Amino acid sequence: VIYKETAVGAGDIKLFASLGFVTGLDGMIIIFILTALISAGHLIWRMIRHKVKKGDSVPMVPYIAIAAGIYMIFLSGRSDLALGILFG
């Protein structure tokens, strides 16, 4: 009602904060890196298909949720292994 256009809020910041309490610092680093990789891959795919317009804003919450799911299902408890793979 207030905004004329659709607005993207700070939901990703709140989601990262709550995930930080659950996963700890190592988990947040892994989730952040996975989020960046997943969103970059999706953006590249959308650019190839010419679906991205200049000035488009993309909410990060879906990418964060996917990355958090991957971490919690496959990498939780193996942070040392995951950080070793990511950082060599």
Side-chain angles (χ1 to χ4, degrees):
V1 174
I2 297 172
Y3 298 107
K4 301 286 187 235
E5 300 175 13
T6 58
V8 177
D12 51 350
I13 297 168
K14 296 173 187 103
L15 181 58
F16 266 126
S18 62
L19 283 171
F21 287 119
V22 174
T23 63
L25 182 60
D26 289 345
M28 280 312 304
I29 292 170
I30 294 168
I31 292 171
F32 183 77
I33 292 170
L34 285 174
T35 300
L37 293 173
I38 293 168
S39 64
H42 188 237
L43 177 65
I44 291 168
W45 180 70
R46 289 183 65 187
M47 287 173 63
I48 290 170
R49 296 190 53 183
H50 303 290
K51 299 281 184 177
V52 178
K53 298 175 191 168
K54 187 175 182 176
D56 282 353
S57 62
V58 179
M60 293 299 291
V61 171
Y63 305 115
I64 297 168
I66 292 168
I70 290 170
Y71 173 78
M72 290 183 186
I73 293 171
F74 299 109
L75 302 174
S76 181
R78 297 180 227 162
S79 296
D80 295 337
L81 174 66
L83 287 173
I85 290 171
L86 290 173
F87 293 116

